[in-house]
Amino acid sequence: MMAFLRAEWLKTKRTALRWLVFALPVLTGAVLGWYCSGRAWISAADAYSGFFSVWTNLLSLLIGIVGGQLVEEEAQAGAFSGFLALPRPRRALYLGKLAALLLSMALANVLAVASVVAVLQMTGTLMLSPSLYALTMAMILIASVPICALSLWLSLGAGMGASVGVGICGVLLAAIVGGTNLGNALWPVVPWAWPVRFCAFAALLYEGGLAPVLYNQLKLGCAVVAISGILFIIGGVRWFSRWDGRATGD
């Protein structure tokens, strides 16, 4: 697996993927941290919720773009013929791509959160505990696994355009279903809303004030994330084992 991931890293050398994974999260965290600094009307809780509201919405699009790019590099290099001809089981090829996507998203999350925390600390801005930021980041990563699996499957089957398009729709769904009361009944069946909802759960868990109703919602969310993630991964592996590539002329 490590050899596969090193190969994936080398493939991104002349692409925008490295900028998306490294520069965009740092820029997002730094800009939002700078915006919150020196503004007395922005409380520590507002800085926390504002950053993660922006980041979790942006994450839906970022997953779509990065997932699409990881697949597009194979489409451009011989229309998947070289990728499918590798002396590895189809299962290993698919899971390797998924691991590359998950690792990219984990790195992006770490960089974004580390950047905003660093800027808030350097500017002396009142902020909530860094451990809360770390807990929220971990819960976002867990909630993002099914989205990554779905994005990879969609990228292989329909192309980067479809993956990015669904990512854009995911931004809207995350904002409306995940971030407003309109989605209180719908969020368990909308994957792009899960990172947003898990942010709220993380804050309440950290404060030790999770009411029984919300605790039941958290248990439901964890079950849905786990089951859907397993189903998306198994479904993608089984589908990919019979896949022979697709036309790339468009």
Side-chain angles (χ1 to χ4, degrees):
M1 180 60 72
M2 292 303 300
F4 188 94
L5 291 175
R6 282 196 296 269
E8 288 296 316
W9 169 252
L10 292 175
K11 291 176 185 177
T12 65
K13 186 175 182 180
R14 291 182 175 84
T15 68
L17 193 145
R18 294 189 184 185
W19 287 100
L20 288 171
V21 173
F22 288 96
L24 180 61
V26 171
L27 182 62
T28 302
V31 169
L32 291 175
W34 168 83
Y35 179 80
C36 294
S37 64
R39 291 172 170 82
W41 65 88
I42 299 180
S43 66
D46 290 336
Y48 165 84
S49 61
F51 165 72
F52 280 110
S53 294
V54 173
W55 177 244
T56 50
N57 281 276
L58 181 61
L59 191 62
S60 299
L61 179 57
L62 186 61
I63 290 173
I65 296 175
V66 174
Q69 182 60 49
L70 287 172
V71 172
E72 190 66 18
E73 64 192 19
E74 306 297 347
Q76 295 176 354
F80 297 103
S81 59
F83 179 58
L84 296 176
L86 289 174
R88 294 173 179 269
R90 287 290 188 93
R91 178 182 66 257
L93 294 177
Y94 186 88
L95 293 177
K97 281 289 182 182
L98 180 59
L101 178 55
L102 291 173
L103 186 60
S104 297
M105 291 304 100
L107 182 58
N109 273 279
V110 170
L111 291 173
V113 172
S115 297
V116 71
V117 169
V119 171
L120 290 175
Q121 289 182 332
M122 286 189 297
T123 56
T125 304
L126 185 65
M127 61 174 289
L128 300 181
S129 171
S131 59
L132 172 58
Y133 280 81
L135 173 63
T136 307
M137 178 191 67
M139 295 191 70
I140 289 173
L141 288 174
I142 293 171
S144 300
V145 171
I147 306 175
C148 291
L150 187 59
S151 176
L152 179 62
W153 194 348
L154 183 63
S155 299
L156 286 165
M160 184 171 181
S163 178
V164 174
V166 170
I168 294 173
C169 294
V171 172
L172 299 176
L173 290 171
I176 297 172
V177 179
T180 69
N181 291 331
L182 295 175
N184 285 345
L186 293 175
W187 74 266
V189 296
V190 180
W192 297 271
W194 298 341
V196 181
R197 291 285 171 160
F198 272 45
C199 283
F201 292 144
L204 293 172
L205 275 176
Y206 188 83
E207 295 171 358
L210 202 60
V213 173
L214 294 176
Y215 181 68
N216 290 334
Q217 288 190 13
L218 175 58
K219 289 195 297 183
L220 173 63
C222 290
V224 170
V225 167
I227 294 172
S228 62
I230 292 171
L231 290 177
F232 289 156
I233 293 172
I234 292 176
V237 168
R238 290 178 64 85
W239 170 83
F240 186 73
S241 66
R242 300 187 299 271
W243 188 60
D244 294 322
R246 56 176 167 80
T248 58
D250 54 357

